[in-house]
Structures are given as C-alpha cells and as structure tokens.
Amino acid sequence: MPKFDYHSAFSRNIGWLRPHEQDILRTKRIAIAGLGGVGGSHLLTLTRLGIGAFHVADLDFFELANFNRQAGAFLSRIGQDKVDVLTEMALDINPELDIRAFPSGIEKDNISTFLDGVDLYVDGLDYFAISIRRAVFAACAEKGIPAVTAAPLGMGAAVLSFLPGKMGFEEYFQLEGHPEQEQFIRFLLGLSPAMLQRSYLVHPEAVDFLNHKGPSTPMACEICAGMAASQALKILLNRGKVPAAPHGLQFDAFRNKMAHTWRPWGNRNPLQKIGLAIARKQLAKKNEAQPLPINSTTAASTIERILDLARWAPSGDNSQPWRFEILDDRHLVVHGFDTRDHCVYDLQGHASQISLGIMLETITIAASTHGLRTHFQRRPNLPDTTPTFDVTFSEDPELTPDPLATYVPLRTVQRRPMHTRPLTPLEKQQLEAAVGSHYQVQWFEGFTNRWRFAQLTFKNAGLRLTLPEAYPVHRDIIEWNAQYSEDKIPDQAVGSDPITTRLMRWTLQSWNRVAFMNRYLAGTLLPRIELDLIPGLACAAHFALLAKHQPGNIDDFVAAGRSMQRFWLTATKLGLHLQPEMTPLIFHEYVRNNVPFSQSSSMHQRARAVSQQLCEILQEEAADQAVFLGRIGSSPIPKARSIRLPLKKLMHNRQV
C-alpha cells in the first residue's frame, strides 16, 4: 500500500488555499450529526478539504431506499451501520484522521460530549428530526460554536449559518410552542424563503409531513456538501464573508438561480408570515387532494396488471370505447363499441375503431413487460358497431419488454402552444420508424406550412363550433372546474385562458346561447384564435400519418390505431408532445363519401371548403390515405389532462 502523505494528498487545494491555511484546516475538528444524504457527503467533502478531526453521529443503517442520494449506500453495505461505513470511507481518504464515532446517534444526554472541543458543527440530521436539531443548535449557541445547516431542496440547496453573537437558531425559526407539523413548515420556509424549488415539484404526494417522508435528489445532497464546506472554510479560516442568519443562500441548479435571502426577525418577518399562511393553505389543500392515479394498487393477477396499464390508451374525447372481460389467466375479450349514434365526429365508427387499435397495441406493449406475446382475433359476424376481439397471451422467454411501456401513462395531449424548435433529423427518423412499414409520415415544417395548417384548423373550428349537431358533444365532453377527468376532458386541459373558459361554460349551457353568441358577438372568433390559430403556428411541425392504401374496413382502422399509438408513445419518449387534428380528416371523409351530417346546407358547404383546403395542403390522394393528423413539438408537461376510468369500471360485466 502506498504511504500516505497529507500535503501530497491535498496539494490540489493549494491555489484556492494558501499552504499555511491548509495546515490550519488539518488542526480543525468538525462535528457532524447525521450521516445520511447530506451528512455523509459533508464528511467526505470536508475530509477531502483536509479537515483533520471529526465527531460523527448516526444510529441508522443502510437500506435500498438510501441508494438515490447517500454517499455510503452500496449493495455490499446494506444492513451495515452508517457511522461505521462512512468512518471507513473517510479513513480510506485520510488514514491520519482523528475521528470519533457516536453509533447511538445524538441524544440530549450526549450532546455536550459530542460538541466537546469542536470548532464547527455541520448539521446532517434528517429534516424531520426537529426536536434533537433544536437541542444541538441551542448547545452550539451556549458553547459559542458556529453552526451551519444545509438543506437539500429539489435540485439545489439552501444554507444558513448561525455564528456566535449573531441571531440564533430558535430566534430565527420561531419553533417554540408550535405543533410538529407547524414546526416542519416553519423550518422549511425559514431555510428557503425564496422557495426556488417549489415550481417544479411534479409529484406533491411524495411530501408527507405526517409520515416524516419527503423526496430528495443526489444533486441536491452534493450541492449541500459544496455549499456547507465553502461556509465551513470561511468560518474556520476567518476568510470571506459568511452570510449569517437572518441572511441565507439558496442555489437551484434546475432553475439556474441563486437567491440571497434576508429575513430580519426570521419567521416573525411580515413576508415570512404571509409565506407561512400560504404554505399552511397549500398543505391543507394537498392533504385534501386526490393524487393522480398512474397505476392502481388493486390489480392482483398478471392480466389485470396488463389491463391496468393498457387502460391509459387514448380515445376521442376520452370516450374509452371498450370494456374488458377476463376469461382466464391467458385469455381476455375486448368488447368494443362506437359512438356514431350521438357523436358527429365518429363517422361510421372509424374514430372509435382507431381508438380500439390504440388499445390493442397498448395491451401488446403492456404484456411484453411480463414476458407475454399477444395474439388478437376479431370475432366475425358481429355488427360494426360492436367490434369484439379475443386476446390471448403466450409465454415467450426471448421477448424483451417494450421500452415504450414506461411512457404509456405519461402520454398526453398538449393543446397549448409549443416551442417552434424544428425537429432534429434523429427525432424524425425515430418517429418515422415507429409507424412501421405500412405507413409513412408526411411532415409540414417551417413557418409557411405551419401557417397553412393554422388556417386550416381555424377554418375547421369555424365549422365545428357552429355545427348544431356538434353542440351536444361539446356540451357533454368537458368537465368543468377540473384538472383531471376520468371520462371527459377537464376544462383546465382545453387550452383556453380563464376568461375564455368561463365564457365557454356560460355559452354551452344552451344552443340558443351558442347561436346568439355566433350571430351577434362573433362567439367563435376568440376560441378559434386561442385554440386553433395560435397553437397551429406555435409548434415544431404538423404531420400526416399516411396508409399505403386508403383505409376501408374495421381492420384497416384498427391497424392505423396501432401504428398511431407507437408514433405517439415514441414522441413522448423523445420528450415531445402532440395534439391530434383529426376533425379536418373526418369532415373530408364526410364530403368524399357524400354522407349528410347536418340538417343545415351551409354546414355542408363549410365542410367542402375544409376538405378542399386539406387536399390543397396534403394533395388529394394523400388526404384519402391519411389516418392521423396532428401537430408536434417540445413543451412543458401539461398540468391538466384526461385520466381514465378505474379498471373495475371498465369490466364487461359492470358496464357495456
């Protein structure tokens, strides 16, 4: 084993440190309570800085749940005490360390011993260890020991320093006399008055004050260690300005922001009081809110787990035109139906048949994650209105899980404007490969083509929104005051601003109101601009999915749905979003087949105009072969979306 030499080991610190400053750090002793996500990184970072002595305390052991963030978490270390593992790792960096371990953790009876002779305390206690944290900081203040606490927040960190003679921990946080949950809120807001991390918390259910659980990232823990060590260096060398409480720092790598916070009087500051009131209200709202269900926990059998994922397949207006019947553990029946009797957009059931194809492809994808190959057979001699499929599964040990399975519940519709960044050649290549050999993708890129499509959808919306036969559909498909909807479209996902949404809700209460708005107040103009014209321009491209031959029967439209789903899931995998633009195709089919769809002759004239404009953009043959139109681009993830009926409501014996 090579001989250890302190000055050689830490020579690369020199430059940012003077040689004599490195020697000073060698004489310093730091106490670290808690060796988990932040504490373990604190110890290793400070050891590499050249600190010569430590007191370390932790009573916990390593387990799998620690792997995403804790420095000592390895398979080989599961079940081992954290204090032993981290001590060994630190000594492997500097075998000359004077390190004293407290394997029973910090208790009120041993705080004095733990802090005896230390130059600095660095807090690594679990966020929820409020009581013992207060005791340790109180002891530091009594002994005149500077103390630093750094909290991992999102993908960044916040740091506070409490120095002798300055504002103390309790004076700043004002925790005394408050119940535990209120103390958690005060501690969080005191640590990060700027709350930079709040805007990108995508799964609030993971924050569980009642059960002392919360999310954390490895980036945040490492940033904590860097920020805390930087403050430790300044404190120990008396070099550089230390932002002591009520001053603080928060850096967020996700937001690309650094905030220097200043809260005189700590949590008694008027701004903090307002923030605390907001935080309490948001916490109460979160406790009342229902989490977005991605997968149910009640699916017991393999086939139920397959269906629980497959039920996330998209369908027109979230109609979900299928019900499931499980015959045995290798055989199920998909009972399809269409909505042609009440939905003007489901000409001859084709839209529902495409949705059924999407569902069958999603079953195939879901089954692959269980090593099962899927086989379909449409039952003959049944009415076109109720296409029914026998689905059987067979084990295939060589079958690999389809990588698109992960994206099935994440795929959603983006009705709002997207970024205009062009698709890369690699993105288009992967999307074109996804549709299979029987289909091709026709792209419409650049401002001119986006403008032509925006004009098409704008004209098409003028038909949709004035068509009397479409009114019941529009009236019934929206769930108002909703972020999620199991069987409709929530109003928050429609894409309109709050004023337009309220106006739409009032208007759709009766056809007379719709007719009045259209006749006298240009009622369709604002929604057409907001929901069609602007989004039509604000995207990377529009596209058409073309079949090699014009689809004619159920099997053709089912096959188109299968291809369409793979295209959509691949887009989701690439971090792209899309919005279907199917109604121009639907009206084109009405016109091409000379099918009457309205009692108003003017509606047929408008449909012919839409059909003509579509043919001018796609060319007539391509318009006849098109099975899917849409716009695509990158954008933030929609905050509102349609979800799905739970599996138990989709079973055949409950509802058909």
Side-chain angles (χ1 to χ4, degrees):
M1 179 180 293
K3 185 178 179 181
F4 178 79
D5 178 77
Y6 178 89
H7 291 102
S8 295
F10 304 114
S11 61
R12 296 297 292 271
N13 291 336
I14 304 303
W16 303 113
L17 295 176
R18 302 178 182 92
H20 77 273
E21 289 177 325
Q22 186 70 71
D23 289 335
I24 291 173
L25 293 180
R26 189 179 187 179
T27 68
K28 297 299 182 179
R29 182 179 298 273
I30 293 178
I32 304 173
L35 294 176
V38 293
S41 293
H42 286 331
L43 175 61
L44 300 185
T45 300
L46 292 166
T47 298
R48 294 188 188 281
L49 185 61
I51 301 300
F54 293 96
H55 290 177
V56 294
D58 201 301
L59 52 72
D60 203 2
F61 58 87
F62 284 111
E63 52 189 340
L64 273 173
N66 305 143
F67 274 40
N68 80 309
R69 68 200 183 282
Q70 297 196 13
F74 302 93
L75 279 175
S76 60
R77 299 298 194 174
I78 286 182
Q80 296 184 22
D81 290 339
K82 293 180 181 180
V83 71
D84 293 338
V85 172
L86 268 300
T87 296
E88 181 183 335
M89 293 175 72
L91 287 170
D92 208 21
I93 297 169
N94 180 1
E96 295 178 355
L97 277 181
D98 177 4
I99 187 164
R100 181 177 177 185
F102 291 73
S104 61
I106 293 300
E107 302 168 341
K108 291 184 179 180
D109 293 341
N110 68 1
I111 289 177
S112 181
T113 305
F114 176 68
L115 295 175
D116 188 31
V118 306
D119 300 291
L120 173 69
Y121 170 67
V122 177
D123 183 24
L125 290 168
D126 185 274
Y127 173 84
F128 297 101
I130 291 288
S131 178
I132 194 63
R133 176 178 279 110
R134 294 176 62 194
V136 173
F137 275 89
C140 287
E142 183 179 342
K143 292 174 177 287
I145 298 171
V148 176
T149 184
L153 299 169
M155 298 175 210
V159 63
L160 284 171
S161 299
F162 295 91
L163 305 183
K166 302 283 188 178
M167 176 177 276
F169 183 92
E170 183 60 40
E171 184 183 3
Y172 179 81
F173 285 105
Q174 296 287 313
L175 303 178
E176 181 67 34
H178 293 286
E180 184 182 65
Q181 183 157 298
E182 173 69 13
Q183 290 187 36
F184 292 153
I185 296 173
R186 286 171 170 264
F187 186 48
L188 175 61
L189 197 64
L191 282 168
S192 59
M195 290 296 285
L196 298 180
Q197 74 282 4
R198 183 171 60 88
S199 65
Y200 59 92
L201 178 65
V202 294
H203 192 62
E205 296 78 25
V207 180
D208 187 353
F209 282 173
L210 294 177
N211 293 305
H212 294 186
K213 292 182 179 180
S216 189
T217 66
M219 302 84 80
C221 293
E222 296 305 314
I223 291 171
C224 273
M227 293 181 72
S230 299
Q231 302 309 310
L233 180 149
K234 291 190 286 184
I235 292 169
L236 295 174
L237 297 179
N238 192 26
R239 174 185 155 195
K241 184 178 180 180
V242 178
H247 294 273
L249 295 172
Q250 183 178 1
F251 171 68
D252 193 284
F254 187 86
R255 296 278 306 280
N256 308 314
K257 287 188 176 182
M258 167 70 89
H260 182 165
T261 58
W262 179 49
R263 291 297 185 270
W265 313 295
N267 277 335
R268 290 181 298 164
N269 185 287
L271 287 176
Q272 290 296 91
K273 289 184 177 181
I274 294 171
L276 288 168
I278 294 172
R280 293 185 199 105
K281 184 177 293 186
Q282 289 179 338
L283 182 62
K285 185 177 180 180
K286 185 190 82 68
N287 290 338
E288 295 172 0
Q290 294 296 318
L292 173 64
I294 293 297
N295 286 314
S296 72
T297 57
T298 57
S301 66
T302 298
I303 202 165
E304 287 177 322
R305 289 195 292 272
I306 291 170
L307 292 177
D308 197 47
L309 181 60
R311 68 187 174 90
W312 286 91
S315 54
D317 299 331
N318 202 19
S319 57
Q320 302 165 72
W322 46 69
R323 295 296 181 264
F324 306 120
E325 181 182 5
I326 299 174
L327 300 184
D328 57 47
D329 60 358
R330 288 293 185 268
H331 185 188
L332 69 89
V333 180
V334 176
H335 296 271
F337 56 91
D338 64 44
T339 59
R340 71 179 79 183
D341 62 334
H342 63 274
C343 180
V344 70
Y345 302 125
D346 200 7
L347 169 64
Q348 298 177 312
H350 293 168
S352 294
Q353 292 159 14
I354 288 175
S355 296
L356 282 165
I358 293 174
M359 163 56 68
L360 295 176
E361 184 61 30
T362 313
I363 289 176
T364 300
I365 293 169
S368 73
T369 65
H370 298 275
L372 297 176
R373 193 170 294 281
T374 311
H375 312 273
F376 303 105
Q377 181 65 50
R378 182 166 65 89
R379 291 183 176 179
N381 304 321
L382 289 176
D384 286 355
T385 55
T386 57
T388 303
F389 297 84
D390 284 284
V391 184
T392 56
F393 304 99
S394 61
E395 292 186 10
D396 186 348
E398 297 183 359
L399 184 66
T400 57
D402 194 316
L404 295 179
T406 300
Y407 302 94
V408 167
L410 305 180
R411 178 229 53 82
T412 189
V413 176
Q414 176 57 285
R415 297 179 178 87
R416 298 184 184 276
M418 306 176 194
H419 301 307
T420 57
R421 170 189 71 79
L423 300 180
T424 67
L426 182 59
E427 287 172 335
K428 291 199 291 185
Q429 179 184 343
Q430 293 187 46
L431 289 165
E432 290 167 4
V435 303
S437 59
H438 296 289
Y439 300 88
Q440 64 177 356
V441 183
Q442 188 175 0
W443 300 103
F444 299 89
E445 302 173 278
F447 179 83
T448 300
N449 282 320
R450 298 202 311 272
W451 173 241
R452 294 178 72 193
F453 255 94
Q455 289 177 304
L456 171 66
T457 56
F458 182 78
K459 178 179 289 187
N460 177 75
L463 169 58
R464 288 191 303 106
L465 298 177
T466 57
L467 177 64
E469 288 78 8
Y471 164 70
V473 179
H474 301 160
R475 178 195 62 201
D476 296 338
I477 64 170
I478 298 177
E479 183 168 339
W480 301 102
N481 297 324
Q483 182 179 4
Y484 307 115
S485 177
E486 288 186 349
D487 57 359
K488 297 182 180 181
I489 300 172
D491 63 337
Q492 295 175 30
V494 169
S496 57
D497 64 69
I499 294 176
T500 303
T501 300
R502 286 196 290 270
L503 183 61
M504 286 171 53
R505 184 175 186 180
W506 179 86
T507 303
L508 288 173
Q509 289 182 27
S510 75
W511 172 249
N512 288 335
R513 290 184 181 183
V514 174
F516 174 82
M517 291 291 293
N518 291 340
R519 179 181 294 271
Y520 298 108
L521 299 176
T524 69
L525 184 61
L526 186 60
R528 288 165 67 195
I529 292 173
E530 191 171 0
L531 303 181
D532 295 279
L533 192 65
I534 293 175
L537 285 169
C539 61
H542 295 261
F543 64 89
L545 180 60
L546 308 179
K548 284 190 173 180
H549 305 285
Q550 179 179 320
N553 57 36
I554 291 177
D555 296 328
D556 291 339
F557 287 101
V558 167
R562 298 188 66 175
S563 178
M564 174 177 157
Q565 176 69 330
R566 297 199 68 83
F567 180 92
W568 203 337
L569 290 174
T570 301
T572 306
K573 182 174 180 285
L574 292 170
L576 302 171
H577 291 105
L578 62 86
Q579 177 185 10
E581 297 171 315
M582 294 294 288
T583 50
L585 277 182
I586 293 167
F587 287 123
H588 171 68
E589 190 175 1
Y590 275 126
V591 171
R592 185 185 69 210
N593 296 335
N594 198 27
V595 176
F597 60 89
S598 175
Q599 295 181 354
S600 171
S601 59
S602 65
M603 296 296 112
H604 291 93
Q605 293 174 2
R606 288 190 174 192
R608 281 191 289 272
V610 169
S611 175
Q612 181 180 352
Q613 191 167 347
L614 177 69
C615 291
E616 289 173 357
I617 296 174
L618 267 65
Q619 303 304 315
E620 186 169 352
E621 182 180 0
D624 291 343
Q625 295 171 213
V627 294
F628 187 33
L629 289 183
R631 66 185 187 99
I632 190 169
S634 60
S635 74
I637 299 172
K639 295 181 179 179
R641 59 165 296 179
S642 298
I643 53 175
R644 301 293 180 268
L645 291 167
L647 184 57
K648 63 181 180 180
K649 290 187 178 180
L650 291 168
M651 300 311 293
H652 179 64
N653 60 347
R654 290 180 174 268
Q655 182 178 352
V656 178

